[in-house]
Amino acid sequence: ENTTVYYQVQATDDGSVTAQSVELSYFIGNLPPSISAILLNPTAPNETQTVEVSATITDDGTIATAELKWSLDGITFDNTINMIVSTGDTYVTETQIPAQTVGTTVYYHIVATDNDAVSFSSDTLEYTTVLAPGSFVFQNGGFELWTGTTPDFWTTIDVGIEISEETTIIYEGAKSARINLITDAQANADIRQTVSVSAGHSYNFDVMVYQTDTFARARLFAGDFQGYSDPMILGEWQLISYNYFADIDADIEVGLRFYDRPGFTGSSIFYIDGFTMNDITNVNSLETNDLNIYPNPANNIINIEGKEVKSAEIFSITGQSVKIVSLLNNQVDISNLKQGMYILKINGTNSLRFIKE
């Protein structure tokens, strides 16, 4: 009993030509259960979700018990969940694996025993919990944090670019990211991360780009492809900016893609820094039709028109005071500001956004 017999047939004709059949076999005894089509629901669990496991389990007799064994170390499987028939030969866990914190790896396998007390265990599988939708916060836009040659939190870095820390050519802080574009296949030349946006909110995305030649350009990605850098501006920082309005709660990708241009010979160096994401919904709500500023964007001088202006102050998009303005003929000198988006607060009540180029 419990023996496998292997056999084949050999035949020889009158010309002494011999042929053999393929090898076949049969089993004497009780076959163990078969476990297949093991599935998770949901397929990519996040930190808020419990997990159901299902599988197809069959036997030459009947299935007496089916159990899911799971653990967090992949060694000691002390956690057991009974599995019950859902439909046909499909079994599902009677209760679910509890939700786990982000980054936790759960190891699991199924043990099935038939009516002859013969058991079979599936291979051990695993899954790792991820962030729940709406939990992605924009991080490390200044490229100050690195692990090896990768800037932290920037998860989509393709083979078409080489990236490294830069400590000399920087826009702000102590570091920037040096990007070497080494391909003309643009689908392989991205740096991105995932962020969460809320329905009805407006967001401003800014990034500073420093180009060293005219043979390539960078393009901002914020939910979709947006504006390009100017390849004719070399040896200085330039701003790429985009205002994004969220129709629905969503997780979107933001970052940059790098493109070759005529004359590209296989390498083009960029530096990127000062990547910011700011919720400007409340700023928009503070704007008033009683005042207007122009030009916008501006390089050196902003003109204010409308009602009498008694005081003005410039704030960063995050609300930090940058400059108390001395007014001359309702003009504001912004020549000493860095490129980026700012808020001009007038008479202590009215707020207007502007971009310094």
Side-chain angles (χ1 to χ4, degrees), residues 16 25 76 90 93 203 260 267 289 294-295 327 352 355:
S16 299
S25 66
T76 305
T90 300
T93 45
Y203 300 87
D260 67 296
S267 178
N289 293 326
Y294 67 93
L327 293 169
L352 293 158
I355 294 176

Side-chain angles (χ1 to χ4, degrees), residues 6 39 65 107 197 203 222 250 258 303:
Y6 301 90
L39 301 174
T65 62
Y107 303 88
V197 294
Y203 300 87
F258 300 88
N303 298 284

Side-chain angles (χ1 to χ4, degrees), residues 143 146 148-151 162-167 176-180 270-271:
F143 301 97
W146 293 74
T149 59
T150 303
E162 296 173 339
I163 187 166
S164 59
E165 288 185 42
E166 172 64 30
T167 57
S176 66
R178 181 184 187 272
I179 306 291
N180 183 15
F270 297 81
Y271 300 92

Side-chain angles (χ1 to χ4, degrees), residues 99-152:
Q100 305 293 327
T101 57
V102 174
T104 300
T105 298
V106 177
Y107 303 88
Y108 63 98
H109 64 263
I110 295 171
V111 178
T113 304
D114 66 14
N115 59 302
D116 295 310
V118 179
S119 296
F120 179 77
S121 178
S122 71
D123 292 337
T124 296
L125 305 173
E126 64 184 67
Y127 65 86
T128 301
T129 53
V130 298
L131 279 170
S135 301
F136 297 94
V137 178
F138 185 77
Q139 300 184 77
N140 199 27
F143 301 97
E144 299 295 309
L145 306 175
W146 293 74
T147 300
T149 59
T150 303
D152 294 351

Side-chain angles (χ1 to χ4, degrees), residues 58-78:
T58 58
D59 188 65
D60 58 351
T62 59
I63 300 298
T65 62
E67 297 176 325
L68 177 79
K69 305 282 190 177
W70 67 275
S71 83
L72 299 181
D73 61 10
I75 300 172
T76 305
F77 289 83
D78 291 334

